[in-house]
Amino acid sequence: MTIRVLLADDQAMIRGCLRLIMEDQPDITVVAEAADGAEAVALARRLRPDVCLVDIQMPRLNGIEVTHALAGPGVADPLRVIVVTTFDLDEYVYGALRGGAVGFVLKDAGPTLLVEAVRAANAGDALISPSITLRLLRHLTAAAAPPARRAAQPLSEREVEVVRAIARGRTNQEIAAELFISLSTVKGHTSGILAKLGMRNRVEIVAWAWENRIVG
């Protein structure tokens, strides 16, 4: 199955590079490009791409606003949004993740990571890079994070182990191997964790884990 991607960046050169990277893959095709946030929202709502790769700094609507519009808490049928940023300690990224983004990557992360992020998002997962995501969240939770949210229901000991693994950037396959459980069990635990925390994706689990000092 081909993954349909929308690219949103105000720089034509960046969009061109991203298109080359994406369409070099046999399972990915770019269905649209947007030069600003408002155009990105309009195109995404009309075309319903599988994944939206959105720059965080754009005219009219920035990446946070685009993310809220396409994947925010009030969106009935949210799209999968990956935010692209220049700096790994960009304060705006935290707002984008809180707004429903399923991940973020650096513009200079390289083709492999960009492609992996798109595939992960399309699979309903999130690319959690220890070298980027955890460093960002550690910085933000230490600086000015919002008050930690409590789980509506307490997590089991096994669920806490899964949360720690997710927060450390482990994939489902790696979690299964580390905890000696099946892949389907990992997915089941993740679904249970999301339900108990009232969240929609793994990136929110990572933020929650850092806010509550589950990892350090």
Side-chain angles (χ1 to χ4, degrees), residues 142-154:
R149 297 172 294 169
R150 295 187 178 276
Q153 302 176 48

Side-chain angles (χ1 to χ4, degrees), residues 131-193:
S131 64
I132 300 173
T133 308
L134 299 189
R135 181 178 161 196
L136 171 70
L137 290 173
R138 184 183 295 114
H139 169 79
L140 291 173
T141 53
R149 297 172 294 169
R150 295 187 178 276
Q153 302 176 48
L155 301 183
S156 68
E157 184 176 337
R158 176 63 85 185
E159 287 171 334
V160 171
E161 291 178 331
V162 172
V163 167
R164 286 197 184 101
I166 290 173
R168 291 184 179 120
R170 305 296 191 262
T171 64
N172 283 344
Q173 290 82 359
E174 290 171 336
I175 295 171
E178 287 182 7
L179 301 182
F180 302 102
I181 56 179
S182 69
L183 186 59
S184 61
T185 300
V186 174
K187 292 179 179 178
H189 282 313
T190 303
S191 296
I193 292 164

Side-chain angles (χ1 to χ4, degrees), residues 3-9 15 18-19 22-23 28-55 58 66-67 70 79-84 118:
I3 303 172
R4 301 167 63 252
V5 175
L6 178 145
L7 304 176
D9 196 291
R15 293 199 308 274
L18 291 174
R19 177 182 281 274
M22 294 297 115
E23 296 201 329
I28 299 176
T29 185
V30 177
V31 296
E33 293 183 21
D36 62 62
E39 184 182 16
V41 171
L43 286 172
R45 286 174 172 169
R46 178 164 60 87
L47 299 175
R48 302 292 302 177
D50 299 308
V51 179
C52 301
L53 206 56
V54 177
D55 181 27
M58 293 185 294
V66 171
T67 301
L70 299 179
L79 291 168
R80 300 182 179 105
V81 179
I82 298 172
V83 173
V84 183
V118 169

